[in-house]
Amino acid sequence: MDKDLGSPRVVVGVTGGIAAYKVATLVRLLVKAGIDVTVIPTPQSLSLVGRTTWEALTGHPALTEVTDDAAGVAHVRIGTHADLVILAPATANTLAKMRLGIADNLLTNTLLVAQCPVLVAPAMHTQMWENPATRDNVETLRGRGIHVMEPDSGRLTGEDSGKGRMPEPEDIAEQAFALLGMRSDLAGTRVAISAGGTREALDPVRFLGNRSSGRFGIEIAKKLLARGAEVRLVAANVETALLEQVRGARIERLSSTAQLHEAMDAAAREADVVIMSAAVADFRPKDVASSKQKKDGSASRILELVENPDILADLGHHRRRENQLIIGFAAETGDERGSVVDYGRRKAQRKGTDLTVVNEVGDATGFGDVSTAITVLDSHGQTVAQASGTKAQMANVIVDAIAERIYAAGGEGSARDYTR
């Protein structure tokens, strides 16, 4: 995954401690928050949790040896591209290796090349944790800037009990979010968001459509997940590769405007925030042919169209829930009668939305993996925010504007912040 897409990259190193099974929960928490996670297990740890588990949870290969993916130089690439490395559970053995700079497997190599923060969650028996050698190793690592958490106290393996339990996955995740600068200010907020572009069938082969890829909606969904929101993504003709970037969201795939209208109506009944970023076809063919239409030699063919329902206006003027926040998008080109923002302002006032994101589109702007400029308007057409940059950066601007509206209304989560 390219870093420009905006998802933080986290490497989770798993060593051969019995607590390795708890790391699966940690990985799930990170993935649900929209983080791109790669697990590097030590060879010994695979006897506790298998490679298949890590690959299924993350969607990435779980490599173990320096010679794995030699062509891709994985022993350097993974660590240098990471935004955070988490070591959990961290055994006494691995802590000693870290202090001495030993690189005898892919994980220890990754720890040597990583230039990002490193978070360590120790797990071992009490006597091992309290041993002077371990204590000296921990203090040395902390002196080098490594973030070493204190282990929990409680039941260990066998009949033993004491300090040495791996910190709970939720606590490790909280520390990770803090180091990544991620907030949980939207925790508990239910968001329904549409993305992509609808298609209206002409026959079994052809359709009327638009150039929307859904990338902007995907970026917004990722930011929402990263800030703790529960996301339901309604995707109209969005490529699978993009949908795979929003692990943790509830995804519904569809094609036509009628299907999108039905899905968003259902999603809005459960949502605190509704975001209509999908590009919706205004018209559809009156009649759809049951077989592919052939050329018949005539100079022209008349295509009769009928108007599709206005999904955004329906959602804006007929709220499905009390105090629901509705956000619309206005993809405009501008002409001699008005600018992009002029048209967006008229749409904001006509559709009944709380916020409208206006962006310019055209042959070389707006669609696909390109930078864009946005203006966020309120229900009166007043400018709330203006910015330009990548879609990942603009997604942050939009989610910030949404969060501010929630806080202004006294919504929950405004006091929650993992960067505290």
Side-chain angles (χ1 to χ4, degrees):
M1 182 182 296
D2 194 278
K3 266 194 175 184
D4 289 339
L5 292 178
S7 292
R9 285 177 167 173
V10 172
V11 174
V12 177
V14 183
T15 70
I18 193 63
Y21 76 94
K22 297 168 67 175
V23 181
T25 299
L26 170 63
V27 171
R28 289 179 66 90
L29 290 170
L30 298 174
V31 170
K32 185 177 180 180
I35 294 172
D36 183 21
V37 181
T38 297
V39 172
I40 302 180
T42 63
Q44 294 85 352
S45 74
L46 292 178
S47 63
L48 300 167
V49 181
R51 191 188 310 271
T52 302
T53 297
W54 305 127
E55 294 180 345
L57 289 174
T58 66
H60 293 301
L63 309 178
T64 57
E65 299 292 357
V66 177
T67 53
D68 291 342
D69 190 20
V73 200
H75 71 289
V76 175
R77 171 179 52 81
I78 296 175
T80 55
H81 288 183
D83 297 302
L84 175 68
V85 176
I86 302 174
L87 188 61
T91 60
N93 184 50
T94 302
L95 291 174
K97 289 181 181 180
M98 288 179 67
R99 178 187 177 168
L100 295 175
I102 294 174
D104 60 347
N105 56 44
L106 183 58
L107 175 57
T108 49
N109 270 264
T110 298
L111 289 166
L112 274 183
V113 302
Q115 298 178 334
C116 60
V118 176
L119 176 63
V120 175
M124 62 196 75
H125 276 72
T126 305
Q127 295 89 338
M128 298 174 70
W129 174 250
E130 294 177 348
N131 186 283
T134 302
R135 302 306 306 156
D136 189 45
N137 290 337
V138 168
E139 291 308 312
T140 299
L141 291 174
R142 285 174 170 163
R144 295 174 184 171
I146 303 297
H147 302 271
V148 183
M149 300 179 68
E150 284 292 309
D152 286 348
S153 297
R155 181 71 178 268
L156 305 172
T157 55
E159 298 296 323
D160 293 339
S161 183
K163 189 170 185 178
R165 286 173 55 91
M166 188 183 83
E168 291 302 312
E170 292 78 7
D171 295 331
I172 302 172
E174 182 172 338
Q175 289 291 317
F177 295 151
L179 291 170
L180 290 167
M182 293 171 61
R183 292 176 289 176
S184 65
D185 53 349
L186 295 179
T189 303
R190 294 166 294 182
V191 182
I193 178 171
S194 67
T198 59
R199 297 175 179 177
E200 306 299 336
L202 295 167
D203 60 32
V205 177
R206 304 178 181 91
F207 59 85
L208 296 177
N210 57 67
R211 294 174 55 199
S212 177
S213 66
R215 186 177 294 274
F216 212 164
I218 295 297
E219 292 297 342
I220 296 169
K222 287 160 59 176
K223 303 306 180 189
L224 291 165
L225 287 166
R227 291 168 69 163
E230 299 174 18
V231 177
R232 181 172 176 177
L233 174 64
V234 180
N237 305 296
V238 178
E239 292 183 0
T240 300
L242 285 175
L243 294 177
E244 289 176 346
Q245 297 179 18
V246 284
R247 291 173 176 269
R250 176 182 170 187
I251 299 175
E252 182 176 354
R253 306 179 71 162
L254 43 78
S255 184
S256 71
T257 300
Q259 292 169 337
L260 182 65
H261 193 187
E262 181 180 359
M264 289 304 293
D265 173 67
R269 296 180 188 278
E270 302 176 352
D272 304 304
V273 179
V274 178
I275 306 173
M276 273 293 297
S277 71
V280 180
D282 293 326
F283 300 91
R284 68 181 185 277
K286 181 179 180 181
D287 299 304
V288 180
S290 59
S291 59
K292 180 182 176 181
Q293 299 301 286
K294 307 294 194 297
K295 293 180 180 179
D296 58 7
S298 61
S300 63
R301 184 185 295 272
I302 296 175
L303 178 63
E304 188 174 357
L305 301 176
V306 295
E307 191 169 332
N308 270 325
D310 191 327
I311 303 175
L312 181 57
D314 177 37
L315 294 170
H317 291 298
H318 305 94
R319 308 292 170 107
R320 273 52 171 183
R321 291 172 58 86
E322 187 178 358
N323 299 322
Q324 191 172 63
L325 193 64
I326 306 293
I327 292 85
F329 271 63
E332 302 289 350
T333 58
D335 55 28
E336 66 279 357
R337 293 175 296 178
S339 68
V340 168
V341 175
D342 290 335
Y343 279 110
R345 185 169 288 114
R346 295 169 197 169
K347 185 173 184 178
Q349 295 169 332
R350 188 174 69 252
K351 301 287 187 176
T353 56
D354 298 292
L355 295 173
T356 300
V357 180
V358 185
N359 67 308
E360 184 174 4
V361 296
D363 290 337
T365 58
F367 297 114
D369 188 13
V370 297
S371 294
T372 190
I374 64 169
T375 300
V376 183
L377 306 173
D378 64 16
S379 59
H380 303 292
Q382 299 299 309
T383 299
V384 172
Q386 281 184 309
S388 61
T390 66
K391 288 184 176 177
Q393 292 168 334
M394 296 305 95
N396 273 327
V397 174
I398 294 166
V399 174
D400 281 344
I402 293 170
E404 288 172 6
R405 290 300 296 265
I406 293 174
Y407 301 162
E412 293 184 3
S414 57
R416 300 187 184 190
D417 192 328
Y418 274 122
T419 62
R420 63 183 181 273

